[in-house]
Amino acid sequence: QVKELVLDNCRSDDGKIVGLSSDFENLEFLSMININLLSVSNLPKLNKLRKLELSDNRISGGLEVLAERTPNLTHLNLSGNKIKDINTLEPLKKLPNLHSLDLFNCEVTMLINYRESVFTLLPQLTYLDGFDADDQEAPDSDPEADGDGLDDEYENGEEDDDDEEDDLDEEVIDDEEDEDDDLEGEEEEDGVDDEEEDEEEDGEDDEEDEADDDLPRGEKRKRNLEDEGEEDPEEEEDDEDD
């Protein structure tokens, strides 16, 4: 069931691959970078393999095995190997689906008219060392590999955070406005209550004054004296006569 297998930096046994067998028949991606591999002669039959990474090894030839064992290969990376001549690449003509080949840091890249020669030899190729025949760079098939997808997500996250902060600020402002409205309403109610109390007190005072006006002068004076806690002078004189 394994579709991808990475064996980078796992040293091979005397230049041979140990443990890699036809049991991995569903493999679509195989990476064996820097494992001191001398050749690909021990590759098992991998009919579904599409991408093969073999950079930084010691492969100098024997590429005809690839057409036999990996007939559906589309990407092949041989960067940093011991490939010196254009003719060494001729067996790759038998890989009809191969459209990307990398040979960085191989001696063959130092040859005159290297790129033109390879494109002529392998007409099925679209990209050599990351560029097509017109020197147009190959598009990145995996945007997340160079962090583009992560940057977009991060920026969107920041925008979302900003939106959330704005929403929070608006909610806080709304809450403050509601509190101010409540306080103003309470103050208005207090003002109304105070006015009603004042009116009631004034009404009581007016009633008392009206009641006093209805009494005869003597009775009114007597009542006032009683309210003030004083005695009537006439009563004091009667007491003295007695």
Side-chain angles (χ1 to χ4, degrees):
Q1 300 300 322
V2 179
K3 292 184 177 181
E4 296 185 5
L5 183 60
V6 177
L7 301 174
D8 299 350
N9 303 313
C10 298
R11 292 295 178 181
S12 59
D13 183 10
D14 194 23
K16 297 180 181 180
I17 308 162
V18 178
L20 185 62
S21 66
S22 57
D23 291 339
F24 293 91
E25 58 183 8
N26 291 316
L27 269 186
E28 296 179 4
F29 173 81
L30 175 61
S31 182
M32 296 185 292
I33 299 173
N34 190 31
I35 64 172
N36 199 33
L37 195 63
L38 298 177
S39 72
V40 291
S41 59
N42 290 309
L43 268 179
K45 184 78 170 178
L46 301 171
N47 287 327
K48 296 183 179 180
L49 194 67
R50 296 288 186 273
K51 189 171 183 178
L52 181 59
E53 294 279 348
L54 296 172
S55 59
D56 299 327
N57 283 293
R58 300 170 61 189
I59 299 170
S60 58
L63 300 181
E64 59 275 355
V65 175
L66 294 177
E68 298 172 6
R69 313 283 174 82
T70 59
N72 294 305
L73 207 61
T74 61
H75 293 72
L76 177 61
N77 191 341
L78 291 170
S79 301
N81 278 279
K82 304 295 183 181
I83 298 173
K84 300 178 180 180
D85 302 318
I86 295 292
N87 293 335
T88 305
L89 304 172
E90 189 169 356
L92 299 181
K93 293 169 65 175
K94 296 181 180 181
L95 291 171
N97 298 317
L98 185 67
H99 69 262
S100 179
L101 175 64
D102 288 313
L103 297 168
F104 288 114
N105 296 326
C106 291
E107 290 186 37
V108 67
T109 61
M110 304 300 293
L111 298 176
I112 298 174
N113 298 325
Y114 151 71
R115 290 181 59 80
E116 291 80 354
S117 299
V118 174
F119 276 117
T120 301
L121 178 66
L122 305 172
Q124 77 272 36
L125 277 186
T126 303
Y127 299 106
L128 175 61
D129 300 333
F131 292 85
D132 64 15
D134 297 324
D135 290 332
Q136 297 296 315
E137 189 173 4
D140 191 349
S141 59
D142 186 5
E144 295 182 358
D146 57 9
D148 289 346
L150 296 177
D151 290 341
D152 293 341
E153 183 177 351
Y154 180 73
E155 290 174 359
N156 292 334
E158 282 187 342
E159 291 176 359
D160 292 341
D161 291 341
D162 292 339
D163 293 340
E164 290 178 1
E165 290 178 0
D166 292 340
D167 292 340
L168 290 175
D169 291 340
E170 291 177 359
E171 290 178 2
V172 171
I173 292 172
D174 291 340
D175 292 340
E176 291 177 353
E177 290 177 353
D178 292 340
E179 291 177 1
D180 292 340
D181 293 340
D182 294 340
L183 290 175
E184 290 176 1
E186 291 177 0
E187 290 176 357
E188 290 176 358
E189 290 178 1
D190 291 342
V192 172
D193 294 340
D194 292 341
E195 289 177 1
E196 291 177 354
E197 291 176 0
D198 292 341
E199 290 176 357
E200 290 177 358
E201 291 177 357
D202 292 342
E204 292 176 356
D205 293 340
D206 293 341
E207 290 176 0
E208 291 179 357
D209 293 341
E210 290 176 359
D212 290 343
D213 291 340
D214 293 339
L215 292 172
R217 183 174 180 183
E219 292 295 330
K220 179 178 180 181
R221 182 172 180 271
K222 184 177 180 179
R223 179 176 175 179
N224 290 337
L225 290 174
E226 288 175 354
D227 291 340
E228 293 174 1
E230 296 180 359
E231 296 181 355
D232 191 342
E234 295 178 355
E235 291 179 358
E236 287 180 1
E237 289 179 359
D238 294 340
D239 293 339
E240 287 177 0
D241 292 340
D242 293 341

